[in-house]
Amino acid sequence: MPPSTRRTSRILENKVPEITAVFWVIKILATTVGETGADYLAVNAGLGTGLTTGLTCAVLLALLCIQVAMPRYVPAIYWLTVVFVSVVGTQLTDVLTDRMEVSLYYSTAAFAFLLLVAFAVWYAVERTLSIHAVDTTRRELFYWLVVLLTFALGTAAGDLATEALGLGFTLGVLVFSGAIAFIGLLYFANMNGVLAFWLAYVLTRPLGASLGDLLSQSQIYGGLGLGAVNTSLIFLTIILMLVVYLTLARAGRTQRPA
Amino acid sequence: MARTKLLSVCCIVTTLALPQVALVTAGMSVLSISGVTAAAAAPSKLGDLSSFRAIVVDTAGLVDQGNLPGATLRIKDLETSWDAAEAGLKPRAAADWHVVDKAIDKALTALRAPKPDAIECKKTLSDLLAVMDNPAAR
């Protein structure tokens, strides 16, 4: 898709990262950090679910404003926003399930429907769903709305798999990574790239959660027994190193004369 | 180029998951050996809840002594450890897990009330013990 040529678009560069191996690794790890982070604030730090949701929503709004105001893609801000979208997306589902007692069947269906509506409106307005041309504020807002909905859908669908099928995290890692590998194969068999991307994106939510559980859960439940805090610290360290790598790689690229 | 990278991610993810097949198989054989004793000790499909049960017994003891602040402090351990074990316990029997989870919520609410009522606290804690001993009965 060609970049938007409207006069109103002052942003010329794609504001979101290209899809690379590093992109998927950070995305999966960010998911886990988001969930354990929210749990830690609510239970261990004793802030409670209400206050935690309020705080994280406020931080997410502030980050979104900064991300949108940036003239170009900045890895640190982009990925910090993804971590907080992950927290808030998870909490949306948790509030519906735990506080409002909405069945996971309904919430999964509802979030899937909302996601389709968001894609339909995005396409109707922009005539493209391309993730390679998120180059206006409006396209950027569509992008983040869809990202938020994929996190909510991924949480609901993942929890539903646990509840309805009794899918533990060990099998979960296998099933969700298998599903992503399958979408990867379909992509090589010429599946629509945008569809493949967003399907894989939804599935990385339950995969990240299962992977986090596998490391953090006690050995009596078949985990590695590292605990939630250590797992989050390990993942956060890897994310930090990768974001530093991305930032340095970018700086090196832009310094070179065109 | 991008497709090669996507394929490599798929490979990484699959490789990460492969050792788990071995773990699952190993876990199953251990389970079948200890299955008989585990079944006798734990009527619930949730398995061994004794570490959680012990905290409830402690908490109930503190309520009986009239030490409600102490009881509130102790039941926090239950909240934290129950929450931490969710991903391990829930897939075993989701319906049973929710029954116990609800009972824990009631006990937490009673103890954390602005003016906790000792009788209400005792009732929610004994209900919780009964539920832990046989979640399927509710």
Side-chain angles (χ1 to χ4, degrees), chain A residues 94-213:
Chain A
D94 286 352
V95 166
L96 283 178
T97 311
D98 300 337
R99 305 280 146 220
M100 299 163 75
E101 309 207 343
V102 175
S103 150
L104 282 166
Y105 289 95
Y106 288 126
S107 51
T108 303
F111 284 132
F113 177 72
L114 284 175
L115 189 58
L116 286 177
V117 170
F119 277 130
V121 176
W122 182 353
Y123 189 78
V125 173
E126 302 286 347
R127 307 314 296 172
T128 174
L129 294 176
S130 174
I131 41 175
H132 308 295
V134 181
D135 50 8
T136 66
T137 300
R138 199 170 57 195
R139 285 183 182 184
E140 213 179 339
L141 292 176
F142 275 125
Y143 179 89
W144 287 105
L145 173 67
V146 163
V147 168
L148 181 64
L149 287 173
T150 62
F151 270 103
L153 173 61
T155 309
D159 287 356
L160 184 62
T162 306
E163 303 264 320
L165 309 173
L167 192 67
F169 48 83
T170 310
L171 266 176
V173 170
L174 278 176
V175 169
F176 296 121
S177 54
I180 291 173
F182 182 65
I183 290 169
L185 285 177
L186 288 179
Y187 175 63
F188 287 105
N190 271 331
M191 182 191 202
N192 178 290
V194 171
L195 180 64
F197 171 76
W198 288 112
L199 279 178
Y201 203 89
V202 171
L203 284 167
T204 51
R205 172 63 185 77
L207 173 62
S210 303
L211 201 61
D213 289 338

Side-chain angles (χ1 to χ4, degrees), chain A residues 236-256:
Chain A
L236 211 52
T237 311
I238 303 175
I239 294 176
L240 267 177
M241 291 193 305
L242 290 173
V243 169
V244 167
Y245 159 76
L246 288 176
T247 309
L248 293 179
R250 245 189 108 69
R253 212 171 38 236
T254 43
Q255 269 163 22
R256 246 176 264 137

